[in-house]
């Protein structure tokens, strides 16, 4: 949810430059703690979609054997690669694949991570079909997504979405991402819905939890 401005060669340069400064306060207040709690459940071979500037990187636990951090936007990816290099952690790889077309083989991933990204992907159904394809049977998708609110708030989010997505790097404030996980055939095993959070249009609620590919 940062200003857009697409540059075909360089990606969303302004968004990439502003992402960490603009989210710093939210990270300190709550988001960082949510990431830590979510990622505590990560293990084995991990793949993250839309990894952005690498905000989840400090929270990867030792139980993660290796991680492929996918990020299609070149400007975001440059920052991600710098953060990976600075981390000094072995077993991390940066990959340009979009969520809708992951390079990973079928059933090769134990943990798939999606944080604040299902709002932005071009085709959420295709992205989640890919997530399901690459997860091993029993593998888990850890998600943290702002979602469409109930009642008048949801209707207001619908109204602002066409303008918001233009200025916020393709972010749709009104997506039912938990419904999309279920529609993709994943089993939502744990779900926490926060009340309002201090960012995004109208303070969108956040859904955080675990979805599993059936064994
Ligand atoms: C709001 S940022 C979130 C970044 C990171 N996941 C986080 O938690 O801070 C949304 C990210 O989704 C990425 N994105 C947009 N379209 C995508 C797609 N089709 N596939 C994968 N990532 C995409 C953007 O480049 C951006 O890095």
């Amino acid at each position: 949810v940062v200003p857009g401005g697409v540059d075909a060669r360089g990606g969303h340069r302004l968004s990439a430059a502003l992402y960490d400064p603009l989210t710093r306060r939210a990270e300190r207040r709550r988001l960082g703690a949510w990431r830590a709690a979510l990622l505590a459940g990560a293990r084995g071979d991990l793949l993250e979609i839309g990894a952005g500037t690498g905000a989840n990187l400090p929270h990867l636990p030792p139980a993660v054997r290796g991680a492929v951090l996918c990020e299609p936007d070149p400007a975001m990816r440059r920052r991600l690669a710098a953060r990976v290099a600075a981390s000094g952690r072995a077993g991390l790889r940066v990959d340009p694949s979009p969520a809708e077309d992951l390079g990973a083989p079928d059933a090769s991933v134990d943990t798939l991570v999606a944080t604040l990204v299902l709002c932005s992907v071009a085709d959420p159904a295709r992205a989640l079909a890919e997530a399901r394809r690459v997860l091993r049977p029993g593998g888990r998708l850890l998600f943290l997504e702002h979602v469409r609110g109930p009642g008048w708030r949801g209707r207001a989010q619908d109204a602002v979405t066409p303008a918001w997505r233009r200025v916020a790097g393709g972010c749709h404030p009104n997506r039912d991402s938990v419904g999309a996980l279920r529609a993709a055939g994943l089993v939502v095993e744990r779900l926490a819905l926060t009340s309002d959070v201090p960012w995004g249009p109208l303070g969108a609620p956040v859904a955080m939890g675990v979805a599993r590919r059936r064994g």
Side-chain angles (χ1 to χ4, degrees):
V1 280
V2 289
V6 189
D7 170 334
R9 285 168 305 160
H12 292 80
R13 286 189 196 179
L14 185 59
S15 299
L18 294 179
Y19 191 73
D20 289 342
L22 287 184
T23 55
R24 191 162 292 136
R25 188 155 169 267
E27 294 283 350
R28 266 203 307 264
R29 286 182 66 190
R30 284 189 240 178
L31 190 50
W34 289 344
R35 292 185 192 277
L38 184 74
L39 272 294
R43 62 171 187 83
D45 296 316
L46 179 147
L47 184 146
E48 180 170 4
I49 57 171
T53 58
N56 288 324
L57 201 49
H59 304 295
L60 295 187
V64 170
R65 188 170 33 234
V68 179
L69 307 176
C70 298
E71 174 50 57
D73 186 276
M76 285 287 200
R77 200 167 59 246
R78 275 194 293 278
R79 287 167 192 275
L80 175 64
R83 202 159 181 176
V84 165
S87 78
R89 185 170 169 158
L92 303 179
R93 182 162 65 80
V94 174
D95 180 300
S97 302
E100 295 88 345
D101 189 15
L102 299 173
D106 294 359
S108 60
V109 168
D110 298 300
T111 304
L112 194 137
V113 176
T115 62
L116 307 177
V117 65
L118 294 177
C119 58
S120 298
V121 301
D123 187 340
R126 205 170 136 200
L128 290 172
E130 271 294 84
R132 188 165 180 270
R133 177 185 71 75
V134 302
L135 276 171
R136 295 193 167 112
R140 304 190 316 158
L141 188 157
L142 309 182
F143 62 92
L144 191 168
E145 297 288 341
H146 64 81
V147 293
R148 189 178 187 278
W152 69 267
R153 179 156 292 167
R155 290 191 293 279
Q157 287 172 313
D158 293 341
V160 301
T161 290
W164 183 257
R165 58 188 283 244
R166 280 196 186 84
V167 297
C171 168
H172 296 67
N174 64 341
R175 282 193 172 157
D176 172 15
S177 293
V178 177
L181 288 165
R182 294 193 173 109
L186 295 161
V187 181
V188 177
E189 288 189 341
R190 273 181 24 216
L191 173 63
L193 271 175
T194 71
S195 54
D196 294 350
V197 290
W199 79 82
L202 312 167
V206 164
M208 175 172 147
V210 177
R212 191 181 290 273
R213 178 181 163 174
R214 278 198 189 86

